[in-house]
Amino acid sequence: MTRIIAGFAGSLSLQVPRSGTRPTSDRVREAIFSALEARDAIHGARVLDLYAGSGALGLEAASRGAAEVVLVERAKPASEICRRNADAVGRADGGGHAVRVRVVPRAVAAYLEGAAGPVDLVFVDPPYDLSETALAHDLELLAPLLSDDAVVVVERSSRSPEPVWPAGLAPERRRDYGETTLWWAAPDQPARPSQPE
């Protein structure tokens, strides 16, 4: 069972697809959100949850104060569960936080090709068998959509190589949790030319 950890929907149980997804463990989600709250990256953020599965990462952000969350999940059974979980979080909200949650039943690359930014916080949690080439393509499409101070969290198998980072997106750190590795990345700000005195 997966649940919302904290925020207005804290302890709410979420449905999980029977197959085809690999929910992020509570331990890893707690680590992610502790780090995000420490850098004040959630409140008021525009959030993308790519390969959303049950939507747990994006909905956790909604519960903790994100302004807008988009759950992108191509598989029909999983996208329907995302929608049910989003509805449950909306009911827990009671209209008090005005968070907008949208479920997009499309492939990640197809969504990103037509998406508009800026986006402040992105969870990229693809199936472990997604090829490194496909992940690199997704990150390349994502990079132009990011706000200047955006945070990107990529979850992969600890046996997977480091993602291929596109121009405009740079890794900040790696954290390992058993079989799971988290890669944290942020927009790579070009050095500004010094101003003449």
Side-chain angles (χ1 to χ4, degrees), residues 180-195:
T180 299
T181 294
L182 298 179
W183 295 93
W184 293 72
D188 188 11
Q189 304 299 331
R192 290 189 171 86
S194 57
Q195 298 295 322

Side-chain angles (χ1 to χ4, degrees), residues 75-157:
K76 187 174 180 184
S79 66
E80 289 173 353
I81 283 176
C82 280
R83 203 176 308 280
R84 290 200 290 271
N85 286 338
D87 289 346
V89 168
R91 288 192 298 274
D93 179 15
H97 298 84
V99 62
R100 296 186 305 278
V101 179
R102 187 160 57 97
V103 178
V104 179
R106 296 182 68 188
V108 166
Y111 169 77
L112 291 173
E113 284 167 355
V119 179
D120 305 309
L121 174 57
V122 185
F123 302 108
V124 185
D125 184 12
Y128 281 172
D129 61 1
L130 183 80
S131 73
E132 299 307 315
T133 302
L135 177 59
H137 181 60
D138 291 345
L139 294 173
E140 188 174 2
L141 294 172
L142 174 65
L145 304 176
L146 300 173
S147 63
D148 288 346
D149 56 354
V151 179
V152 178
V153 183
V154 180
E155 182 174 335
R156 293 296 270 161
S157 164

Side-chain angles (χ1 to χ4, degrees), residues 13-72:
S13 294
L14 299 176
Q15 297 181 37
V16 175
R18 288 184 185 170
S19 62
T21 63
R22 175 192 32 77
T24 302
S25 72
D26 283 359
R27 175 175 168 244
V28 174
R29 276 191 299 130
E30 284 177 10
I32 291 171
F33 282 93
S34 176
L36 290 172
E37 291 197 325
R39 60 198 291 175
D40 194 25
I42 304 172
H43 188 75
R46 289 152 297 187
V47 179
L48 276 182
D49 185 351
L50 305 178
Y51 302 96
S54 67
L57 291 169
L59 295 173
E60 184 76 41
S63 180
R64 295 179 188 233
E68 180 179 349
V69 177
V70 179
L71 308 175
V72 183

